[in-house]
Amino acid sequence: MATPADHQTTAAERLISVAIQSTWLLWLLGGLYIAGPAMAWILTAMAAITLYLAPADSASWRPPPPHPVIFIWLLGMLAMLAILIVGHLLNELGTGKTIKSSIGWAKGWALLALFPLAGALLPVRPEVIYRAVCRLGLQTLILIPLFLVAPFAGLPGLLYVSPLKIVGGSGPEYFAVILYTLEPGTGVPRWQFFAPWSPAAGMIAVVHILCALEEKQLGWKVIGVSAGLLIALLCQSRLALVALAIVWPVSFGVSRLRQPWAWFTAAPAILLLGLLSPQIQGLMDQAIQRFTSARADSSRVRAALGRIAIERWQNEAPWFGHGIVENGPHLVEYMPIGSHHSWYGLLFVKGLLGAIALAIPLAASFWMAGRLALYQPIGRVALAMLLLLTLYSFGENLEILSYLYWPALVIVGIAARQAALRRQEGTGAATTGGQEPPERRWQGDVPTPEGDSVERQ
């Protein structure tokens, strides 16, 4: 199943492809939590070298000037670090905790800016990411029977915790090799695969499905989508199923807004929705009730964690937060306050300013990807990834899982590069008679249409 993308890959593409395809190996070694941040900083160093050397070599890769959204992400995540330091000072947490939290920032929040930066500045094609995800899916399909048999064959759920946990992290689950877990109360097996917990596996499964759907070769596409769907179903994540039903259709719909048929199709649909709004509202209420009652204990704990986070944020540290995560009372099973929710977590730990530091880059990225989606496929994919991150921000802490979903961030960066290229070249409907040119990417100094196989001289 070789394609042109397999024969002229750049160093950045090879690194990204190998990292994605090594996911299961890194999981066995307990090294995924280390590999993600390492990838971010290595790719950032490569991007810095590219910017430094490109002007001196006329045949080298010359990325367009970074799109403003890249600078907004960098400023937002640097603001996170500044807010963290101020929060520690205000709460008198000491130098040791400040240093530890700063290292945590470099392994978490910083990645939300570094991976888009790498995608924007390095010669990385999205097709390389799509194919690598599909190849990882083939490995997953081979391994899934082992995971399914494990709980019924008497194999232990936890195989071991990697000694790499010595590097530090939020908990041993990031370095644990787990075949399955048993649902409390029911004893039903539940799988989390290479993620630290099952809902996180659902999130990564949706990222992989969105990538696999863009694969051009049908065989690899079927493999990638099948593997993602199996993980999403077996992890039994409610949010993953909701994301599958919402994210791709919405991004596809936005990408077709320039087509007259889309508006003609939407008009009667909107009219029908208006006429049936009471029935639809009732169905939505039932769906929400079923969603909540599917795991009533989990929903109760999440709601309590949110209430505690909001109350303590408002009453104790509204602007810069408490500086660090604190465990809740017995009511929430001593779980960290603000966990399972990025916005509650930000308000509690970094205050209102921390929430704003994430909201602004997300909003800017939506604007960039939404506009690009009207003209280029990569815009639609980036928009889908941003929708997924936003949806999961209400059920997970985004910074904690950035080491797993980083390919989505690279795709957002690639989309920002294409948006910057359009700005630089002055392309648009006004200059092309109402038609947009095909997606372009740079090889040397010459922009070539997507999919062309142009050897570098």
Side-chain angles (χ1 to χ4, degrees), residues 75-97:
L75 290 174
M77 296 307 103
L78 285 173
M80 288 283 192
L81 178 60
I83 294 166
L84 180 152
I85 293 172
V86 173
H88 277 245
L89 291 174
L90 293 177
N91 290 282
E92 300 180 350
L93 297 175
T95 304
K97 287 186 177 180

Side-chain angles (χ1 to χ4, degrees), residues 121-356:
L121 297 182
L122 292 173
V124 177
R125 294 164 291 177
E127 293 84 359
V128 173
I129 298 176
Y130 305 153
R131 179 60 59 85
V133 166
C134 292
R135 287 174 170 163
L136 175 63
L138 179 59
Q139 300 174 32
T140 301
L141 292 178
I142 294 172
L143 291 173
I144 275 181
L146 170 63
F147 285 90
L148 294 179
V149 169
F152 306 103
L155 296 177
L158 172 63
L159 295 182
Y160 56 87
V161 176
S162 171
L164 292 176
K165 69 176 182 180
I166 194 173
V167 303
S170 298
E173 61 270 22
Y174 296 92
F175 305 95
V177 178
I178 298 174
L179 291 179
Y180 64 92
T181 58
L182 297 177
E183 195 70 12
T186 64
V188 175
R190 193 180 184 189
W191 293 268
Q192 61 194 60
F193 302 100
F194 48 77
W197 46 79
S198 296
M203 179 184 187
I204 308 309
V206 179
V207 170
H208 289 182
I209 291 171
L210 293 173
C211 289
L213 286 171
E214 301 300 318
E215 169 60 40
K216 295 296 186 280
Q217 288 208 8
L218 180 61
W220 281 118
K221 176 182 288 190
V222 171
I223 289 172
V225 172
S226 299
L229 285 174
L230 282 173
I231 290 180
L233 293 172
L234 292 172
C235 74
Q236 302 171 38
S237 170
R238 299 167 293 172
L239 195 51
L241 300 180
V242 172
L244 286 174
I246 293 177
V247 170
W248 189 88
V250 170
S251 60
F252 178 82
V254 171
S255 70
R256 294 298 183 269
L257 288 179
R258 293 180 71 241
Q259 306 297 326
W261 65 263
W263 292 97
F264 284 114
T265 303
I270 293 173
L271 177 61
L272 186 62
L273 287 174
L275 294 174
L276 300 178
S277 57
Q279 293 84 349
I280 294 174
Q281 181 64 46
L283 290 174
M284 289 182 63
D285 291 340
Q286 291 180 16
I288 294 172
Q289 179 60 34
R290 291 177 181 175
F291 183 90
T292 304
S293 61
R295 288 191 177 84
D297 290 340
S298 174
S299 298
R300 176 188 58 79
V301 170
R302 286 172 180 264
L305 285 169
R307 288 194 303 271
I308 295 172
I310 291 297
E311 289 174 4
R312 292 195 56 187
W313 159 65
Q314 291 177 332
N315 298 325
E316 299 173 8
W319 290 106
F320 292 93
H322 293 79
I324 58 173
V325 176
E326 298 179 16
N327 290 330
H330 176 69
L331 172 67
V332 292
E333 302 174 9
Y334 305 106
M335 283 188 162
I337 299 172
S339 60
H340 303 84
H341 200 294
S342 292
W343 304 105
Y344 290 158
L346 275 173
L347 289 173
F348 181 80
V349 178
K350 292 182 172 63
L352 180 61
L353 294 178
I356 293 173

Side-chain angles (χ1 to χ4, degrees), residues 18-39:
V18 169
I20 293 173
Q21 294 180 65
S22 300
T23 296
W24 282 112
L25 176 61
L26 291 168
W27 171 74
L28 281 173
L29 298 174
L32 276 175
Y33 185 76
I34 302 172
M39 277 288 299

